[in-house]
């Protein structure tokens, strides 16, 4: 797949088939992703790939916990600033409107919104999941490195005909994830990522992007 096609076709898929993802494909993707850039070559990501029975067990534990209304685990990082300013607050609101509109859910239908949210912890039906950790002692530049690594993984997945959905929602049940993957204490969960083949029956609206001139300035002669 052409790199431009991979970038433009990559999106957060929220509906997967149960077709297994061959382990050799996941290994090929993650072997290539090792070459993602990182400052001073620290390679700050630590990845756990979960499939099969362990993933089914994790899905069951997480969805049951959320459905029972158990308190969230406290995130170990701040997801958004407490006061999200313009234009970011408008972009976030528009995303939420588009997301629930695609599902036919009204803004006021809180129960339907909750049901849609719970699908996160079922990996939207995906047969494979990746969990990305970072050492607690590392700083903001290393978090940027992790972002570049995850983008590299997602583009390589597209080259293999696969889709993905990065999910910071998993950090809200990080202790449940830790029960399954058993990370060392010095690691902090950043996000999960559902991986699989897109369900052709999934309803979605392609989220828009700001026009180029809103986010890019060319400085030249």
């Amino acid at each position: 797949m052409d790199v431009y096609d991979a970038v433009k076709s990559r999106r957060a898929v929220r509906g997967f088939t149960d077709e297994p993802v061959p382990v050799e494909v996941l290994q090929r993707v993650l072997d290539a992703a090792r070459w993602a850039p990182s400052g001073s070559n620290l390679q700050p990501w630590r990845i756990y790939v979960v499939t099969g029975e362990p993933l089914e067990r994790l899905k069951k534990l997480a969805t049951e916990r959320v459905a029972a209304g158990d308190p969230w685990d406290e995130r170990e990082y701040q997801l958004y600033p407490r006061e999200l300013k313009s234009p970011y607050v408008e972009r976030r609101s528009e995303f939420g409107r588009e997301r629930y509109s695609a599902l036919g859910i009204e803004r006021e239908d809180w129960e339907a919104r909750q049901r849609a949210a719970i699908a996160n912890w079922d990996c939207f039906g995906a047969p494979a999941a990746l969990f990305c950790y970072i050492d607690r002692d590392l700083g903001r530049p290393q978090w940027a490195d992790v972002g570049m690594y995850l983008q590299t993984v997602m583009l390589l997945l597209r080259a293999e005909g696969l889709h993905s959905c990065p999910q910071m929602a998993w950090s809200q049940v990080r202790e449940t994830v830790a029960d399954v993957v058993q990370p060392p204490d010095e690691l902090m969960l950043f996000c999960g990522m559902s991986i699989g083949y897109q369900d052709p029956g999934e309803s979605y609206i392609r989220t828009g992007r700001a026009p180029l001139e809103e986010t890019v300035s060319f400085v030249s002669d």
Side-chain angles (χ1 to χ4, degrees):
M1 178 182 289
D2 178 86
V3 123
Y4 281 88
D5 291 336
V7 170
K8 291 182 177 179
S9 65
R10 187 222 59 83
R11 66 181 188 83
V13 164
R14 294 180 174 87
F16 295 88
T17 70
D18 60 2
E19 180 181 352
V21 178
V23 65
E24 59 269 21
V25 172
L26 295 173
Q27 289 173 335
R28 183 161 60 241
V29 164
L30 296 173
D31 188 46
R34 294 183 301 125
W35 298 96
S38 64
S40 296
N41 200 31
L42 294 189
Q43 305 166 69
W45 46 84
R46 181 69 174 90
I47 305 301
Y48 294 82
V49 179
V50 188
T51 59
E53 188 280 330
L55 181 58
E56 292 308 309
R57 178 158 43 95
L58 176 55
K59 289 179 180 182
K60 184 175 186 292
L61 290 170
T63 54
E64 287 179 350
R65 176 180 172 182
V66 174
D70 290 352
W72 299 124
D73 297 330
E74 183 179 355
R75 276 196 176 102
E76 297 186 89
Y77 59 89
Q78 188 171 316
L79 185 56
Y80 300 108
R82 289 183 175 84
E83 296 294 331
L84 196 60
K85 63 184 182 180
S86 183
Y88 314 112
V89 65
E90 292 86 3
R91 291 174 185 167
R92 184 185 181 191
S93 295
E94 180 63 14
F95 164 75
R97 187 193 66 76
E98 291 178 345
R99 162 81 176 124
Y100 291 112
S101 173
L103 296 172
I105 297 174
E106 298 293 332
R107 181 181 180 86
E108 298 77 18
D109 192 345
W110 180 247
E111 288 187 5
R113 289 165 68 100
Q114 285 291 87
R115 287 195 299 272
I118 284 176
N120 271 286
W121 296 284
D122 187 49
C123 295
F124 303 106
L130 169 158
F131 294 93
C132 180
Y133 285 79
I134 185 170
D135 194 297
R136 302 171 193 283
D137 293 335
L138 297 178
R140 290 183 180 181
Q142 289 75 56
W143 284 74
D145 293 342
V146 166
M148 289 188 284
Y149 171 84
L150 292 170
Q151 174 76 338
T152 301
V153 169
M154 289 186 283
L155 296 180
L156 288 166
L157 288 169
R158 288 301 302 122
E160 296 284 354
L162 292 159
H163 273 285
S164 61
C165 183
Q167 299 160 269
M168 286 182 284
W170 281 102
S171 63
Q172 295 175 288
V173 292
R174 59 184 175 81
E175 292 181 7
T176 303
V177 178
D179 287 342
V180 174
V181 305
Q182 298 290 305
D185 290 342
E186 67 268 19
L187 296 184
M188 174 194 312
L189 179 62
F190 172 50
C191 72
M193 181 188 295
S194 297
I195 298 170
Y197 297 97
Q198 180 184 355
D199 179 352
E202 180 212 5
S203 297
Y204 78 98
I205 295 174
R206 178 74 172 178
T207 53
R209 291 294 186 270
L212 187 67
E213 60 271 17
E214 189 173 313
T215 59
V216 178
S217 297
F218 288 91
V219 181
S220 61
D221 293 335

